[in-house]
Amino acid sequence: MAGSDAFLDSNVLLYLLSSDAAKADRAEAILRSGATVSVQVLNEVTNVARRKLALSWAEIDELLALVEAFVAVEPLTVETNRLGRTLAQRHQLALYDAMIAASALIAECRTLYSEDMHSGLVIDDTLRIVNPF
């Protein structure tokens, strides 16, 4: 799947499983429009799905297969780590949020959908963080 201008944080994907129908529908619409995620996002979804939602490994595999059908996946690299550390310092972001922003920039995305980052923040005059909910 080719990427798009949109990059998704793990919380957007986790809303696919939400009992809040409006948020689940919004997350599904964003996913269906095509997007990019990073391996870190897939790892975070897996961790929350196991630890907080008590999903089985088979259920997680099914969820991630569905997600991967609609997104491009950006790998984690040393370049991602270096840029992420720079962004954390420059924009006072939490380290893992900065790594997600770094992956979005490397993937040349223009919008980072996240519920819990600084909505409205523009990073490097290129990437805008948007709370889709």
Side-chain angles (χ1 to χ4, degrees):
M1 177 78 198
S4 76
D5 262 2
F7 195 97
L8 308 182
D9 192 0
S10 57
N11 50 53
V12 175
L13 295 178
L14 287 163
Y15 272 113
L16 293 168
L17 306 173
S18 176
S19 60
D20 182 329
K23 287 185 176 181
D25 289 347
R26 178 71 176 129
E28 183 178 341
I30 292 168
L31 181 66
R32 287 186 181 279
S33 68
T36 301
V37 300
S38 65
V39 170
Q40 176 186 331
V41 168
L42 298 178
N43 290 343
E44 289 178 9
V45 168
T46 300
N47 184 53
V48 171
R50 281 294 290 171
R51 189 174 45 85
K52 289 187 178 180
L53 303 177
L55 295 184
S56 70
W57 286 110
E59 291 168 321
I60 292 168
D61 289 345
E62 186 177 323
L63 171 63
L64 294 182
L66 172 73
V67 168
E68 290 172 19
F70 290 95
V71 300
V73 179
E74 182 69 29
L76 293 176
T77 65
V78 172
E79 176 189 12
T80 308
N81 180 268
R82 288 180 184 138
L83 179 56
R85 292 191 326 260
T86 299
L87 295 176
Q89 293 172 49
R90 185 182 305 147
H91 299 283
Q92 289 75 50
L93 296 171
L95 180 66
Y96 289 111
D97 290 347
M99 295 300 163
I100 288 173
S103 291
L105 284 169
I106 291 167
E108 300 180 352
C109 293
R110 311 255 323 139
T111 304
L112 168 53
Y113 288 112
S114 176
E115 184 183 45
D116 61 2
M117 286 193 212
H118 309 290
S119 190
L121 176 66
V122 177
I123 298 174
D124 290 357
D125 297 321
T126 303
L127 180 67
R128 178 177 298 278
I129 298 174
V130 174
N131 181 342
F133 304 110

